[in-house]
Amino acid sequence: MNILKFFTAGSVDDGKSTLIGRLLYDTDSILADQLEALQSSNRKNDDGTIDLAILTDGLRAEREQGITIDVAYKYFQTEKRKFIIADTPGHIQYTRNMVTGASTANLAIILIDARNGVVEQTIRHSYLVSLLGIKHIVVAVNKMDMMDYSETVFTAIKEKYKTLAQNLGLKDVTYIPVSALKGDNIVQPSAHMDWYEGESLLHFLEKVDTDLQDKTTQARMPVQWVIRPQTDELHDYRGYAGRVLSGTFKVNDMVTVLPAGTSSTISKIEFFENELEQALAGQSVTIHLKDNIDISRGDTLVNSSALPIESKLIEADLCWMDGRALDPSIMYLIQHNSKTTKCKINEILYKVDINTLERHAAEEFKLNDIGRVIVKTADALAFDLYGDNRANGSAILIDSRTNLTVGALMFRASVE
Amino acid sequence: MSEYNFDYLDELEAEAIHILREVAGQFEKPALLFSGGKDSITLVRLAEKAFRPGKFPFPLVHIDTGHNFEETIQYRDEMVARIGEKLIIGSVQKSIDEGKVIEQTGKNASRNALQTVTLLDTILEHKFDACIGGARRDEEKARAKERIFSVRDEFGQWDPKRQRPELWNIYNGKIHKGENVRVFPISNWTELDVWNYIRRENIALPSIYFAHQRDCITRNGQLMAASPFLNMDSEDVVESKKVRFRTVGDMSCTAAVESDADLIDDIIQEISDSKISERGARMDDKVSEAAMEDRKKGGYF
């Protein structure tokens, strides 16, 4: 059994929270005391049934306003798979929270209200999904019950979305007509849509390929911590502890340490009390090298035959996440895996109007702005392009005055 | 790749180890908050996997309410001796003696709320800049909103509206002097995941997790262990029942469930079948819909 991480994108009234509530409810993932709390709540649907949306609104302010403000994580499992849902807000002012939720997801569910079809929000959410490189997309056409479960309505929306998907380069898109409120095609196949021959949403989620491995040749492991017990019996023990970002490291593989550029051979891979033949993407391990070379936190071990890019001048997509606007005159910190160094935004190439996808010249980035910039870093980073390797192609910006995380960066090219 | 057999427990474990090593790499004076419950016991196991054969780069810190189950304290001391790591104890009794907090009175009196003050004092005294805890997002809906690296101000307060975005697997641990970060490596685990992990790893637990005969009273619909820490009166009827505990907190606020499950397999079966959430057995969450959110804002774990 493995884990699928997904998130839902949709605007405020598209029924995102209801969809998640329905998934939890129909998979029997809501416990009696939580259900009791639901039933005693004052929020009810028009027909008196319980409002499933309140299951996901965890904060007082959210319940007061009836909207989702921040990302919430929900968990459920079936016999086939475990699921982690990042419940992200749909409002434009919470774009940063959607980017946050999307950054760890393998799959996105884009909700479309069957009454309204593809709208500005759909374009925005789909753009973010393509920007963040989400592999699988499910377009859930919701509220089919309010459109008499009409195949014509569904097909028209599907055709319209196909054009958008093509423009954005979204490849793996699955279309499912649903009613989150009534439960059609969420867990159980709908009795109202004989014309639909696909699977229910849950069945699709249970079998979609999670593809944990990023390109297998790109073996990358940032060193997080050097284990040196320095005891009498382990006098010479020196292990490099980290999590394999992508690819596979095997004993006897030739590896290069960046930024130093020195090479050595893997002598041993350990995981707690076990020795491993190989370490795969996603595993947290300890690697030993044959030669005693200087390695510390912030260095990266890579496969010598598939080196990453090393550069101090990087073209990247930037999503600005802070109320304080981007100031190209000051220095920020950039955190790329276990390495943190100073940086400046050297140039703003363009800003994207995420409602029309048009590019504009810009002097500054404000909260929720997205566009492309050139970042100049104090120390060279050893990275891959985001499109090839999400884990080694992303970084965050930190404002050293406030220590806040102010930007999400996706590396697109080296300028050097 | 077909041989890529990395199941969900391996994935959760690898993520938690990654987070623990980030704490070690990013902070000067971290600590691991250890309550003696199954979640913090799991954290200790994960720390062994993250740092052995080296020492932990942090001490364990137990905020001792003085109203603990005896079995928990015995387990704690044996475990610390076995792993050879440092234990720091923050005492609620000491906070009471020093007049920093006042013991609650009345029938439902508990030291649960008081431990926040002791925790904050302990953090201050030892200048901890990061506190690792075993909270999980599936426990409660305010917890579901919590980041893995959760920044607290110098008063220990959590501000849900000012949380940092947490992107990919990159954790920003930068803080100002006086602030600290609460780190939750098992955020993405569920109660069942923890149990399945404990079974897989064959981790010993305090005996109160397993069914045993115990004197109990029924209060507010919950089974509570009869003890000198509970303000009992003539209305309270003491009955001997076969019970176990799903969470381990203060004796005055942790309710038992009737159970015959004395083996870990039976417990897992019982939890899988249960229709009551883990937090359903915590009286402290029943105060209001926002009880946990409000306590967290005040500095509670």
Side-chain angles (χ1 to χ4, degrees):
Chain A
M1 188 158 73
N2 63 14
I3 303 176
L4 177 74
K5 295 182 180 173
F6 68 93
F7 77 104
T8 50
S11 51
V12 183
D13 296 317
D14 288 350
K16 240 166 7 80
S17 298
T18 307
L19 179 108
I20 293 171
R22 174 61 68 185
L23 266 176
L24 297 173
Y25 189 79
D26 285 2
T27 52
D28 228 3
S29 313
I30 302 168
L31 297 164
D33 54 326
Q34 295 165 329
L35 210 54
E36 190 188 316
L38 262 180
Q39 269 148 353
S40 64
S41 155
N42 292 324
R43 270 172 64 185
K44 291 272 195 310
N45 292 317
D46 296 341
D47 62 0
T49 53
I50 50 175
D51 179 359
L52 293 170
I54 51 174
L55 277 171
T56 60
D57 291 339
L59 300 176
R60 194 192 286 275
E62 292 177 324
R63 288 190 293 274
E64 280 164 8
Q65 298 173 44
I67 59 163
T68 311
I69 292 171
D70 201 349
V71 188
Y73 295 89
K74 292 278 155 198
Y75 305 84
F76 72 102
Q77 77 181 78
T78 64
E79 279 173 18
K80 299 205 171 77
R81 186 167 260 176
K82 274 186 71 73
F83 298 94
I84 300 180
I85 315 174
D87 181 20
T88 59
H91 260 284
I92 189 156
Q93 64 264 40
Y94 303 118
T95 296
R96 68 170 200 161
N97 291 335
M98 189 171 144
V99 170
T100 301
S103 72
T104 51
N106 318 102
L107 180 144
I109 298 174
I110 294 182
L111 270 161
I112 294 180
D113 186 327
R115 296 170 302 173
N116 308 325
V118 174
V119 294
E120 210 169 76
Q121 315 253 26
T122 319
I123 299 174
R124 186 155 52 87
H125 295 145
S126 303
Y127 170 68
L128 291 174
V129 164
S130 76
L131 188 80
L132 270 292
I134 308 290
K135 251 193 190 112
H136 310 284
I137 293 127
V138 175
V139 173
V141 179
N142 192 24
K143 306 198 184 179
M144 288 299 291
D145 55 308
M146 299 179 87
M147 298 302 284
D148 295 327
Y149 297 104
S150 157
E151 180 177 13
T152 322
V153 168
F154 175 71
T155 310
I157 293 171
K158 180 173 166 179
E159 288 310 314
K160 189 140 190 227
Y161 193 88
K162 275 185 175 169
T163 315
L164 176 65
Q166 202 164 16
N167 291 342
L168 290 168
L170 301 174
K171 286 187 190 79
D172 181 3
V173 187
T174 302
Y175 301 85
I176 306 178
V178 303
S179 165
L181 189 69
K182 308 282 182 192
D184 292 283
N185 284 338
I186 302 292
V187 170
Q188 303 303 332
S190 171
H192 300 107
M193 291 179 273
D194 294 341
W195 48 265
Y196 173 71
E197 288 172 349
E199 296 162 291
S200 71
L201 176 64
L202 180 71
H203 287 162
F204 180 77
L205 296 176
E206 281 182 326
K207 60 156 232 210
V208 67
D209 171 26
T210 47
D211 195 4
L212 282 163
Q213 291 269 50
D214 274 301
K215 295 225 172 106
T216 51
T217 53
Q218 294 179 345
R220 312 280 183 252
M221 192 189 88
V223 175
Q224 293 182 274
W225 184 252
V226 181
I227 298 179
R228 287 205 66 194
Q230 291 176 298
T231 54
D232 289 342
E233 62 272 32
L234 294 167
H235 187 73
D236 295 321
Y237 186 103
R238 188 191 285 263
Y240 306 105
R243 190 175 191 194
V244 180
L245 286 184
S246 57
T248 305
F249 289 96
K250 293 193 177 77
V251 174
N252 293 324
D253 273 0
M254 174 82 98
V255 293
T256 300
V257 183
L258 296 173
T262 41
S263 292
S264 183
T265 308
I266 295 179
S267 58
K268 192 159 72 167
I269 302 173
E270 284 183 314
F271 179 57
F272 193 41
E273 287 159 346
N274 301 313
E275 276 197 35
L276 309 177
E277 274 301 302
Q278 56 178 13
L280 303 162
Q283 288 188 296
S284 284
V285 294
T286 305
I287 287 180
H288 297 254
L289 300 179
K290 285 213 171 102
D291 307 287
N292 213 345
I293 44 184
D294 177 28
I295 301 174
S296 52
R297 177 179 164 85
D299 293 341
T300 307
L301 299 183
V302 305
N303 182 338
S304 299
S305 60
L307 296 177
I309 302 163
E310 275 192 278
S311 175
K312 289 183 181 177
L313 213 52
I314 308 163
E315 193 176 312
D317 282 321
L318 169 65
C319 174
W320 193 256
M321 304 190 141
D322 196 34
R324 200 184 291 257
L326 164 69
D327 182 350
S329 74
I330 69 161
M331 271 189 281
Y332 291 94
L333 294 170
I334 185 168
Q335 188 176 346
H336 173 241
N337 296 315
S338 62
K339 186 181 183 77
T340 304
T341 182
K342 285 184 178 178
C343 76
K344 282 188 77 169
I345 302 300
N346 238 24
E347 198 182 337
I348 297 174
L349 298 173
Y350 57 79
K351 221 158 77 171
V352 176
D353 178 331
I354 58 170
N355 294 317
T356 62
L357 307 186
E358 284 163 10
R359 294 171 179 183
H360 300 284
E363 297 295 313
E364 61 169 12
F365 270 56
K366 288 188 188 143
L367 180 64
N368 295 318
D369 279 348
I370 293 175
R372 188 158 294 186
V373 297
I374 293 175
V375 192
K376 186 179 186 183
T377 59
D379 297 330
L381 300 182
F383 64 93
D384 295 287
L385 301 184
Y386 189 78
D388 298 335
N389 189 334
R390 276 170 92 186
N392 200 36
S394 50
I396 60 169
L397 276 183
I398 299 166
D399 186 331
S400 51
R401 298 168 297 182
T402 61
N403 289 328
L404 295 174
T405 301
V406 293
L409 287 164
M410 287 142 282
F411 299 148
R412 302 298 181 188
S414 165
V415 184
E416 283 175 317
Chain B
M1 280 173 76
S2 55
E3 79 264 37
Y4 198 79
N5 189 16
F6 190 58
D7 91 339
Y8 75 100
L9 284 178
D10 295 318
E11 192 175 339
L12 292 171
E13 175 187 64
E15 178 185 64
I17 292 170
H18 173 247
I19 293 162
L20 287 169
R21 288 170 173 170
E22 281 305 290
V23 174
Q26 292 195 36
F27 295 93
E28 295 294 324
K29 286 210 76 184
L32 190 155
L33 297 188
F34 182 81
S35 68
K38 66 185 187 311
D39 299 305
S40 53
I41 289 169
T42 297
L43 284 181
V44 169
R45 175 68 170 186
L46 291 164
E48 290 185 285
K49 292 205 174 191
F51 303 109
R52 291 291 184 244
K55 295 280 272 183
F56 291 1
F58 37 71
L60 308 187
V61 172
H62 182 218
I63 302 304
D64 185 345
T65 62
H67 287 179
N68 289 290
F69 290 91
E70 209 181 294
E71 296 92 327
T72 312
I73 299 301
Q74 188 191 339
Y75 177 94
R76 176 194 76 188
D77 294 341
E78 284 170 11
M79 190 202 69
V80 168
R82 177 179 63 77
I83 65 173
E85 299 288 345
K86 190 178 172 192
L87 173 73
I88 291 171
I89 296 168
S91 158
V92 172
Q93 186 60 53
K94 188 163 155 256
S95 302
I96 294 169
D97 296 344
E98 288 170 352
K100 290 190 167 174
V101 291
I102 293 172
E103 186 104 63
Q104 289 180 359
T105 53
K107 217 169 167 174
N108 292 320
S110 153
R111 284 186 170 183
N112 189 50
L114 310 184
Q115 60 184 331
T116 298
V117 173
T118 311
L119 170 64
L120 297 180
D121 281 350
T122 308
I123 290 172
L124 200 64
E125 183 189 340
H126 295 273
K127 299 190 172 59
F128 292 130
D129 51 2
C131 297
I132 301 159
R136 306 185 321 268
R137 287 172 177 151
D138 80 321
E139 282 177 72
E140 205 277 339
K141 56 190 171 185
R143 289 248 204 251
K145 297 274 171 180
E146 182 110 39
R147 299 288 187 262
I148 289 172
F149 271 38
S150 175
V151 179
R152 305 299 175 101
D153 67 13
E154 61 177 314
F155 301 101
Q157 299 178 112
W158 178 65
D159 182 352
K161 288 188 173 173
R162 287 192 65 247
Q163 299 200 86
R164 296 173 181 176
E166 202 155 74
L167 297 139
W168 298 287
N169 296 307
I170 309 172
Y171 302 102
N172 171 8
K174 292 264 179 302
I175 48 169
H176 294 295
K177 216 172 165 52
E179 293 176 334
N180 68 83
V181 175
R182 307 285 171 91
V183 182
F184 306 109
I186 59 168
S187 284
N188 285 329
W189 300 39
T190 63
E191 181 187 18
L192 205 52
D193 295 335
V194 171
W195 280 107
N196 279 319
Y197 187 73
I198 287 170
R199 172 165 65 181
R200 189 183 87 168
E201 299 289 314
N202 208 4
I203 301 170
L205 289 180
S207 56
I208 57 169
Y209 277 111
F210 301 95
H212 57 284
Q213 210 68 35
R214 183 180 281 274
D215 284 346
C216 298
I217 62 161
T218 303
R219 183 171 287 177
N220 304 326
Q222 309 248 34
L223 264 184
M224 306 298 291
S227 76
F229 308 135
L230 220 51
N231 289 334
M232 297 199 291
D233 57 30
S234 54
E235 285 174 17
D236 293 312
V237 183
V238 178
E239 296 170 284
S240 175
K241 290 193 185 279
K242 192 163 187 195
V243 297
R244 62 176 200 86
F245 293 84
R246 258 177 104 172
T247 83
V248 173
D250 202 285
M251 281 190 91
S252 61
C253 72
T254 311
V257 287
E258 283 195 80
S259 170
D260 285 320
D262 44 16
L263 294 170
I264 197 155
D265 287 342
D266 302 333
I267 292 174
I268 289 174
Q269 191 58 47
E270 197 175 277
I271 293 167
S272 305
D273 296 343
S274 169
K275 289 276 141 202
I276 304 287
S277 79
E278 183 181 355
R279 282 269 157 194
R282 291 291 281 254
M283 293 178 68
D284 34 338
D285 288 343
K286 303 238 159 188
V287 183
S288 81
E289 194 171 20
M292 175 70 92
E293 180 181 348
D294 292 342
R295 275 180 298 142
K296 270 151 57 75
K297 282 178 179 167
Y300 181 80
F301 217 79

